Amino acid sequence: MNNAIDLNSDLGEGFGMWPLTDDDALLDIVTSANVACGFHAGDPSVLRKVTERAAERGVVIGAQVGYRDLAGFGRRFIDMDPHELVNDVIYQIGALEGFAKIAGTRVRYVKPHGALYNAVVHHAEQAAAVVDAVKRYDPELPILGLPGSELLRQTEAEGLTGVQEAFADRAYTPEGRLVSRRLPGAVVHEPGEVVRRSVRMATEGTVVATDGSSVAAAPRSLCVHGDTAGAVEIARSVRQGLVDAGVELRAFA
Amino acid sequence: MNNAIDLNSDLGEGFGMWPLTDDDALLDIVTSANVACGFHAGDPSVLRKVTERAAERGVVIGAQVGYRDLAGFGRRFIDMDPHELVNDVIYQIGALEGFAKIAGTRVRYVKPHGALYNAVVHHAEQAAAVVDAVKRYDPELPILGLPGSELLRQTEAEGLTGVQEAFADRAYTPEGRLVSRRLPGAVVHEPGEVVRRSVRMATEGTVVATDGSSVAAAPRSLCVHGDTAGAVEIARSVRQGLVDAGVELRAFA
Amino acid sequence: MNNAIDLNSDLGEGFGMWPLTDDDALLDIVTSANVACGFHAGDPSVLRKVTERAAERGVVIGAQVGYRDLAGFGRRFIDMDPHELVNDVIYQIGALEGFAKIAGTRVRYVKPHGALYNAVVHHAEQAAAVVDAVKRYDPELPILGLPGSELLRQTEAEGLTGVQEAFADRAYTPEGRLVSRRLPGAVVHEPGEVVRRSVRMATEGTVVATDGSSVAAAPRSLCVHGDTAGAVEIARSVRQGLVDAGVELRAFA
Amino acid sequence: MNNAIDLNSDLGEGFGMWPLTDDDALLDIVTSANVACGFHAGDPSVLRKVTERAAERGVVIGAQVGYRDLAGFGRRFIDMDPHELVNDVIYQIGALEGFAKIAGTRVRYVKPHGALYNAVVHHAEQAAAVVDAVKRYDPELPILGLPGSELLRQTEAEGLTGVQEAFADRAYTPEGRLVSRRLPGAVVHEPGEVVRRSVRMATEGTVVATDGSSVAAAPRSLCVHGDTAGAVEIARSVRQGLVDAGVELRAFA
């Protein structure tokens, strides 16, 4: 049972003329901001604005690193050389760090984005590349990822800090894994249900699986979405629900 | 008369499959490496390799910041919003800093590249943007530029350190300005002459202008080129000529 | 006095995850679609969808060619080599033509976008580059541009067809030029006023200038905007106003 | 046994400041030019130059389509939505067609590049996407690929023309497949041996496999490389060897 939980969300995912995430709204909701670093989204002016505002509000800044693929928004697996992936991750952390620095703060964690996030659940070489990049850059930086993932396994094997996250709006199997998005019922859409699941994870450390059983899910961080107006509204409700349940909202980094 | 001079050159200007500068050769010649940061050239793996090797050899690393224009190699003026230019410069310095950091060193100066270099000779708003970026990022970082440029004027007006560079292979007017590349004779091609001019600038602080007069040219840094095999050879001769003349090769940062 | 006028608008200006223009709504309003070609906006899947739907509805397809600048949305002047601009324009027309072809139609005109549109009002070399590209690609293709522009002057000097457009929501000087966007009152925001000006241009060939005088403005095409919900609504009103005034909406190409 | 064979090579693979393939030399050697279309390499000015020179010399132009990945040169598999791949292929063919058109010719075939070439040997959905793109664009265009590939199987199943190619410098298994590049001996480096294998394939329709056996290899086209000076020299020798052996060099399209 947790006394405190972190709320994280993806921010800074606009590019040039094209806005996407409602960064201002999200910064009033989350305790950790996964800021896009320019490879899948996020031009320098977006990064500047998000990091400054996050710093002003005390929201912790993380580097949301992804494949170099603006056209695919980082949502397409790229079978790249792991040695190059190490460097792509370092580049992105460094670029974001520049803005964190001028905002008087620092990049405090790393979270892979999109297809890279999914790849490093199983892809040992790419997981190792992300861990290697963080270890070289700053071994004190936690890595945020999926419980049971190859990424978190290697993170800990290398002596770094892995942080587990859960998704309040995703269905879980009786084994405690996420139901694939390709299956019906993978995403919970009803706002009240999303809030109830969030509170249960934060206060009881469990989630109701697809078969009605209760499985362990005691994440240090809950991921909420902000790429539609409806998503922001649900994220706000999750925050309020947690506060009402006496859960402390506290960043992990 | 200088006792010491810096030799700088552009490095890391390959991208993906496409090599360009002979970085290994240049790192044996120069004392300061202007490393491309990914906007006009330089993918993350190039940056990694150049910064590591520069660090190993004690060559000082500078951020060679440019317009976001891979197709034009940063050689085309872009009339961009100065507020966005500030952020583009910060992004590039930060990205390179990530690699400098893992190589155990730091970015120690900033030099604009290509069309941006030329723009900030006269363009007050873009010059101000570069200076603002450096000031916000780290006011201790020197900015390398053209003597008499708006960039160096503003650098000093803002209390930052401006460093003057000269070009051993460029002709100068009797007023001490560079002869435009559009005019015949703008570039000195004869290797021996390039070496003689370099030594004269370093030891006497003068250069022979197009009318035969001697004009002041006492740069803290000499820029040599490395984008062709011939250029690397000339750069090597310049280094040897300076050493033979008793000039100390010493980075400015 | 015109019996017929064309309505054109920029379409296909999304990119990847990022939508922008409400293409479906606009295709019910306009007679000519200026489709982005991938350099300032418009990924291939956007082009496919827009060209197919335009073809289904009988909307004429034009190539909206711009600078290669996704980060700047083509709104930043790039001082590029005119010889390269010729090729960038050909590339974009060809790419769009591929989709027009599979939709059973053709690219029927060319219109420069954003900063290129503004540049070729005065910039003779870049205007010549656009004209040269179109002349080489297909000298039968009309070029849509600003009355009095260098672009249209050269278009006609080369024996190509220039088509004049006007903006119903822009203020005009007593000399019949657009009031600079940097000046107050440059844009007419009141929807009813935009409609009245449109009808007046279409039926009387005049517009009321900033000093209250009536100046000639008899465009073959009216440009309406579609990058906000409000803009689409105004565009729809302009269409309805023209229809109600007995003006035939007819593409020029 | 063939009386005629085609020689194809990848051309136009520079980008901006970065040259790569020696296009002029190759255009004197090959009968078919696989021209990069801008997604993995090839800026518009490169495409212009290569298509014009190919047209002048009677070399047939093919669209060498690849993943949108300049940083990876199209050599990294991207697990993209096949519907988007269809459109990426159409876009690239169309773009190149623009230059073929102004050079007075046409794109006459399509060949996937790099990781896409390798993917469509087995990846049914991506193979289908390439075939669908070509079928929609022009069902008369042949597709050049690997014998036994899913790509060629689907090409023919859809009623299009598949053209088989072989590699004179690659080792073959006794089953007639290419030896993986990850294995030693995958590439034949000795120029004389490359020429002998080429001639044997063209005149006898066989190649000596790794176990010394003779296996069928009667390609309509032989692929030669041109990304290094040595490669160009070998390609020239292959051409000469074929001519000396009385083989007619003739494009397939």
Side-chain angles (χ1 to χ4, degrees):
Chain A
M1 208 168 334
N2 294 311
N3 294 314
I5 202 161
D6 172 71
L7 281 182
N8 81 76
S9 191
D10 296 344
L11 278 86
E13 293 192 324
F15 191 78
M17 260 295 282
W18 300 290
L20 187 72
T21 43
D22 185 346
D23 296 332
D24 280 329
L26 286 165
L27 286 170
D28 283 337
I29 296 170
V30 301
T31 42
S32 294
N34 319 316
V35 182
C37 299
F39 270 39
H40 77 278
D43 65 80
S45 293
V46 166
L47 270 62
R48 168 84 176 273
K49 192 169 140 190
V50 173
T51 50
E52 284 186 349
R53 295 192 180 179
E56 285 163 17
R57 302 182 200 189
V59 174
V60 167
I61 293 166
Q64 186 197 0
V65 298
Y67 293 124
R68 186 196 284 264
D69 182 13
L70 285 176
F73 196 65
R75 291 193 170 167
R76 314 188 289 201
F77 171 68
I78 299 182
D79 190 20
M80 63 187 296
D81 181 334
H83 294 98
E84 295 186 351
L85 181 55
V86 172
N87 300 331
D88 280 10
V89 171
I90 293 167
Y91 186 96
Q92 292 177 75
I93 302 174
L96 183 63
E97 188 84 276
F99 294 101
K101 177 178 159 80
I102 69 163
T105 182
R106 293 196 48 212
V107 171
R108 294 204 187 281
Y109 66 95
V110 174
K111 177 180 175 177
H113 163 82
L116 180 58
Y117 186 91
N118 294 328
V120 295
V121 172
H122 301 293
H123 196 300
E125 289 79 13
Q126 292 205 355
V130 172
V131 174
D132 184 40
V134 175
K135 191 172 183 180
R136 286 175 188 273
Y137 186 79
D138 180 356
E140 302 296 318
L141 285 185
I143 298 179
L144 183 58
L146 197 68
S149 64
E150 183 65 19
L151 177 68
L152 291 193
R153 196 192 64 70
Q154 291 198 30
T155 297
E156 280 150 29
E158 291 294 321
L160 278 67
T161 304
V163 176
Q164 302 190 349
E165 71 170 343
F167 299 86
D169 64 352
R170 290 292 297 278
Y172 281 76
T173 69
E175 293 74 33
R177 309 300 297 260
L178 293 176
V179 172
S180 165
R181 277 183 181 277
R182 291 174 187 160
L183 298 178
V187 178
V188 179
H189 293 289
E190 204 275 303
E193 180 64 14
V194 177
V195 174
R196 279 189 295 277
R197 293 168 77 87
S198 302
V199 170
R200 185 170 174 146
M201 285 197 260
T203 57
E204 302 183 14
T206 60
V207 68
V208 177
T210 45
D211 67 348
S213 65
S214 177
V215 298
R220 180 65 188 84
S221 185
L222 263 182
C223 183
V224 292
H225 302 298
D227 46 2
T228 63
V232 170
E233 209 39 63
I234 292 176
R236 207 185 318 265
S237 300
V238 166
R239 180 189 175 93
Q240 192 58 47
L242 292 167
V243 168
D244 292 346
V247 178
E248 184 193 353
L249 295 175
R250 181 153 49 82
F252 59 84
Chain B
M1 206 170 336
N2 294 310
N3 294 315
I5 202 161
D6 172 71
L7 281 182
N8 81 77
S9 191
D10 297 343
L11 279 86
E13 294 193 323
F15 191 79
M17 263 294 282
W18 300 290
L20 187 71
T21 43
D22 185 347
D23 297 332
D24 281 329
L26 286 166
L27 286 170
D28 284 336
I29 296 169
V30 300
T31 41
S32 294
N34 319 317
V35 182
C37 299
F39 269 39
H40 77 277
D43 65 80
S45 293
V46 166
L47 270 61
R48 168 81 175 273
K49 193 170 139 190
V50 172
T51 50
E52 283 185 350
R53 296 191 180 180
E56 285 163 18
R57 303 181 199 189
V59 175
V60 167
I61 293 166
Q64 185 197 1
V65 297
Y67 293 124
R68 185 195 285 266
D69 182 14
L70 286 174
F73 197 65
R75 291 193 170 169
R76 315 188 287 203
F77 171 68
I78 300 182
D79 189 20
M80 62 187 297
D81 181 334
H83 295 97
E84 296 187 350
L85 180 55
V86 172
N87 299 331
D88 280 10
V89 171
I90 293 168
Y91 185 96
Q92 293 177 75
I93 302 174
L96 182 63
E97 187 85 275
F99 294 101
K101 176 179 160 79
I102 69 164
T105 181
R106 291 197 50 213
V107 171
R108 294 205 188 279
Y109 66 95
V110 174
K111 177 179 175 179
H113 163 81
L116 180 58
Y117 186 91
N118 293 329
V120 296
V121 172
H122 301 293
H123 196 299
E125 290 78 12
Q126 293 205 356
V130 173
V131 174
D132 183 40
V134 175
K135 190 172 185 181
R136 286 174 187 273
Y137 186 80
D138 181 355
E140 301 297 317
L141 287 184
I143 298 178
L144 183 58
L146 197 69
S149 64
E150 182 65 17
L151 177 68
L152 291 192
R153 197 193 62 69
Q154 291 198 31
T155 297
E156 281 151 30
E158 291 293 319
L160 278 67
T161 305
V163 176
Q164 301 190 350
E165 71 170 344
F167 300 86
D169 64 353
R170 292 290 299 277
Y172 282 75
T173 68
E175 294 75 32
R177 309 302 296 259
L178 294 175
V179 172
S180 165
R181 278 183 180 277
R182 291 172 188 161
L183 297 178
V187 178
V188 179
H189 294 288
E190 205 275 302
E193 180 63 14
V194 177
V195 174
R196 279 188 295 278
R197 294 168 76 88
S198 302
V199 171
R200 184 170 174 144
M201 286 197 259
T203 58
E204 301 183 16
T206 60
V207 68
V208 176
T210 45
D211 66 347
S213 65
S214 176
V215 298
R220 179 65 188 84
S221 185
L222 263 182
C223 183
V224 292
H225 302 297
D227 46 2
T228 64
V232 170
E233 210 39 63
I234 291 176
R236 209 185 317 265
S237 301
V238 166
R239 180 189 174 93
Q240 192 58 49
L242 292 167
V243 168
D244 291 348
V247 177
E248 182 192 355
L249 295 174
R250 180 152 51 81
F252 59 85
Chain C
M1 205 170 335
N2 294 310
N3 294 313
I5 203 162
D6 172 71
L7 281 183
N8 81 76
S9 191
D10 296 344
L11 277 86
E13 293 192 324
F15 191 79
M17 261 294 282
W18 299 289
L20 188 72
T21 43
D22 184 346
D23 296 332
D24 280 328
L26 286 165
L27 285 169
D28 284 337
I29 296 170
V30 300
T31 41
S32 294
N34 319 317
V35 182
C37 298
F39 269 39
H40 77 278
D43 64 80
S45 293
V46 165
L47 271 61
R48 168 82 175 275
K49 192 169 138 189
V50 172
T51 49
E52 283 186 349
R53 295 192 182 180
E56 285 163 17
R57 303 182 200 189
V59 175
V60 167
I61 293 166
Q64 186 197 359
V65 298
Y67 294 123
R68 187 197 283 263
D69 182 13
L70 285 175
F73 197 65
R75 291 194 170 167
R76 312 186 291 201
F77 172 68
I78 299 182
D79 189 20
M80 62 186 297
D81 181 334
H83 295 98
E84 296 186 351
L85 181 55
V86 172
N87 299 331
D88 279 10
V89 170
I90 292 168
Y91 186 96
Q92 292 179 75
I93 302 174
L96 182 63
E97 188 85 278
F99 294 101
K101 176 179 161 78
I102 70 163
T105 182
R106 293 197 49 214
V107 171
R108 294 205 188 280
Y109 67 96
V110 174
K111 177 180 174 178
H113 163 82
L116 180 58
Y117 186 90
N118 293 328
V120 295
V121 171
H122 301 293
H123 196 301
E125 291 78 12
Q126 292 206 355
V130 173
V131 174
D132 184 40
V134 175
K135 190 172 184 181
R136 287 176 187 272
Y137 186 80
D138 181 356
E140 301 296 317
L141 285 185
I143 298 177
L144 183 58
L146 197 69
S149 64
E150 182 66 18
L151 176 69
L152 291 193
R153 197 192 64 71
Q154 291 197 31
T155 297
E156 278 150 30
E158 290 294 321
L160 278 68
T161 304
V163 176
Q164 302 190 347
E165 70 170 344
F167 300 87
D169 64 352
R170 291 291 299 277
Y172 282 77
T173 69
E175 293 74 33
R177 309 303 295 260
L178 294 175
V179 173
S180 165
R181 277 182 179 277
R182 292 174 187 159
L183 298 179
V187 178
V188 179
H189 293 289
E190 204 276 302
E193 180 64 13
V194 177
V195 174
R196 277 189 296 278
R197 291 167 76 89
S198 301
V199 171
R200 184 168 174 147
M201 285 197 260
T203 58
E204 301 184 15
T206 59
V207 68
V208 177
T210 46
D211 66 349
S213 65
S214 177
V215 298
R220 181 64 188 85
S221 185
L222 263 182
C223 183
V224 292
H225 302 297
D227 46 2
T228 63
V232 170
E233 208 40 62
I234 292 177
R236 205 185 318 267
S237 301
V238 166
R239 180 189 175 94
Q240 192 58 47
L242 291 167
V243 169
D244 291 347
V247 178
E248 184 191 355
L249 295 175
R250 181 152 50 83
F252 60 84
Chain D
M1 210 166 334
N2 296 310
N3 294 315
I5 202 162
D6 172 72
L7 281 182
N8 81 76
S9 192
D10 296 343
L11 278 85
E13 293 193 323
F15 191 79
M17 261 294 283
W18 300 290
L20 188 71
T21 43
D22 185 346
D23 296 332
D24 281 328
L26 285 166
L27 286 169
D28 283 337
I29 297 170
V30 301
T31 41
S32 294
N34 319 318
V35 182
C37 299
F39 270 38
H40 76 279
D43 66 80
S45 294
V46 166
L47 271 61
R48 168 81 175 274
K49 192 169 139 189
V50 173
T51 50
E52 283 185 350
R53 296 193 181 180
E56 285 163 16
R57 302 181 200 190
V59 174
V60 167
I61 293 166
Q64 186 197 1
V65 298
Y67 294 124
R68 186 197 283 266
D69 182 15
L70 286 175
F73 197 65
R75 291 193 170 169
R76 314 188 288 202
F77 171 68
I78 300 183
D79 189 20
M80 63 186 297
D81 181 333
H83 295 97
E84 295 186 351
L85 180 56
V86 172
N87 300 331
D88 280 9
V89 170
I90 293 168
Y91 186 96
Q92 291 177 77
I93 302 174
L96 182 63
E97 188 84 275
F99 293 101
K101 176 179 160 77
I102 69 164
T105 182
R106 292 199 48 214
V107 171
R108 294 204 187 279
Y109 67 95
V110 174
K111 177 180 175 178
H113 163 82
L116 180 59
Y117 185 90
N118 293 328
V120 296
V121 172
H122 301 293
H123 196 300
E125 291 78 12
Q126 292 205 356
V130 173
V131 174
D132 183 40
V134 176
K135 190 173 184 181
R136 286 175 187 273
Y137 186 80
D138 181 355
E140 301 297 318
L141 286 184
I143 298 178
L144 183 58
L146 197 69
S149 64
E150 182 66 18
L151 178 69
L152 291 192
R153 196 192 63 69
Q154 291 197 31
T155 297
E156 280 150 31
E158 290 294 319
L160 277 68
T161 304
V163 176
Q164 301 190 349
E165 71 170 344
F167 299 86
D169 64 352
R170 290 292 299 278
Y172 282 76
T173 70
E175 294 75 32
R177 310 303 295 260
L178 294 176
V179 172
S180 165
R181 277 182 181 277
R182 291 173 188 159
L183 298 177
V187 177
V188 180
H189 293 289
E190 203 277 302
E193 180 64 13
V194 177
V195 173
R196 279 190 294 278
R197 293 169 76 87
S198 301
V199 171
R200 184 169 175 145
M201 285 197 260
T203 58
E204 301 183 16
T206 59
V207 69
V208 177
T210 46
D211 67 348
S213 65
S214 176
V215 298
R220 180 66 188 84
S221 185
L222 263 182
C223 183
V224 292
H225 301 298
D227 46 3
T228 63
V232 170
E233 209 37 64
I234 292 176
R236 207 184 320 266
S237 301
V238 166
R239 180 189 174 92
Q240 192 57 49
L242 291 167
V243 167
D244 292 348
V247 179
E248 182 192 355
L249 294 175
R250 181 153 50 81
F252 60 85

